[in-house]
Amino acid sequence: DIGGVSGNRRGSFNYPIECLDRIKYLNINPDAKPHFNISIEDKLPFYDEFECIVATELLEYIDNIDKCFDNFNRLGKIDSILLLSWPWMNALHGDYDYDFKRYSLIYIKKKLDRYGFKILDFNPNGGFFTVLWDFIHRLHFQKLIKFMPLRIFIRVFLLLSKHFVIFLDELFYSSDFVSTGYTLVAKK
């Protein structure tokens, strides 16, 4: 798990219990209690070692994406799986001092192809209405709107509309190009 925190969940994603003792964490932050305190951008001391590589919400923090994808390739055994997710039309994360980049779907697909990965499954995370909702949420969350009656209105709107915008995306709009981010599974 690259960028993961030892013993922590990643959102609603959970590892199967039978796999917990086999998971190795790679992170530059020693507070994450990684097995390997090293960057994915460094030359790693592993080669063809892992059956699955998890890199969720990592790419936006990477300065040299080619080194990152080269290491994905080096780390994985033949037929290994890469689980990858990254933001697209999404505001900078809370750790915005380190949140450097956004990558298009086309760019990531080209990188995967260049480094020998074949996409098995792919999903955009949200569509037009979710993107719009997220940006309104960010305006409210960062207190960028100073007029209090408007802030209250937006707060109520956000609370009442969260699940409705997902419904709207599913009902009216489906696009791989307007999304809050992407999740994919690829095979080496």
Side-chain angles (χ1 to χ4, degrees), residues 41-87:
E41 295 177 272
D42 294 336
K43 184 167 180 143
L44 301 178
F46 318 108
Y47 187 77
D48 288 343
E49 191 162 326
F50 299 99
E51 297 169 10
C52 182
I53 300 159
V54 176
T56 56
E57 303 302 309
L58 172 80
L59 298 180
E60 63 270 28
Y61 301 104
I62 301 299
D63 193 41
N64 188 329
I65 193 139
D66 283 306
K67 283 185 182 178
C68 180
F69 274 88
D70 184 52
N71 276 325
F72 289 162
N73 190 20
R74 286 173 44 86
L75 287 169
K77 295 177 179 181
I78 298 295
D79 293 330
S80 62
I81 297 295
L82 172 64
L83 173 62
L84 187 63
S85 72
W86 70 99

Side-chain angles (χ1 to χ4, degrees), residues 20-150:
L20 291 177
D21 62 333
R22 296 188 334 215
I23 298 168
K24 303 295 181 210
Y25 294 90
L26 185 145
N27 199 313
I28 59 172
N29 181 355
D31 293 337
K33 299 183 176 120
H35 295 93
F36 308 103
N37 189 215
I38 190 169
S39 170
I40 188 64
E41 295 177 272
D42 294 336
K43 184 167 180 143
L44 301 178
F46 318 108
Y47 187 77
D48 288 343
E49 191 162 326
F50 299 99
E51 297 169 10
C52 182
I53 300 159
V54 176
T56 56
E57 303 302 309
L58 172 80
L59 298 180
E60 63 270 28
Y61 301 104
I62 301 299
D63 193 41
N64 188 329
I65 193 139
D66 283 306
K67 283 185 182 178
C68 180
F69 274 88
D70 184 52
N71 276 325
F72 289 162
N73 190 20
R74 286 173 44 86
L75 287 169
K77 295 177 179 181
I78 298 295
D79 293 330
S80 62
I81 297 295
L82 172 64
L83 173 62
L84 187 63
S85 72
W86 70 99
W88 175 232
M89 294 180 172
N90 198 306
L92 296 177
H93 294 155
D95 47 359
Y96 53 84
D97 288 340
Y98 306 101
D99 189 352
F100 299 124
K101 301 177 182 180
R102 298 292 184 261
Y103 296 102
S104 73
L105 175 62
I106 302 299
Y107 184 81
I108 297 300
K109 283 182 174 181
K110 287 181 179 180
K111 289 293 177 192
L112 289 167
D113 187 55
R114 178 177 173 201
Y115 287 94
F117 288 92
K118 179 184 177 210
I119 296 174
L120 301 177
D121 191 20
F122 160 78
N123 291 294
N125 303 329
F128 174 80
F129 295 103
T130 307
V131 169
L132 184 61
W133 189 93
D134 275 352
F135 279 111
I136 293 169
H137 180 260
R138 184 60 60 172
L139 283 172
H140 181 267
F141 179 72
Q142 292 183 330
K143 298 183 172 119
L144 297 174
I145 298 170
K146 303 298 181 195
F147 185 59
M148 188 54 76
L150 183 56

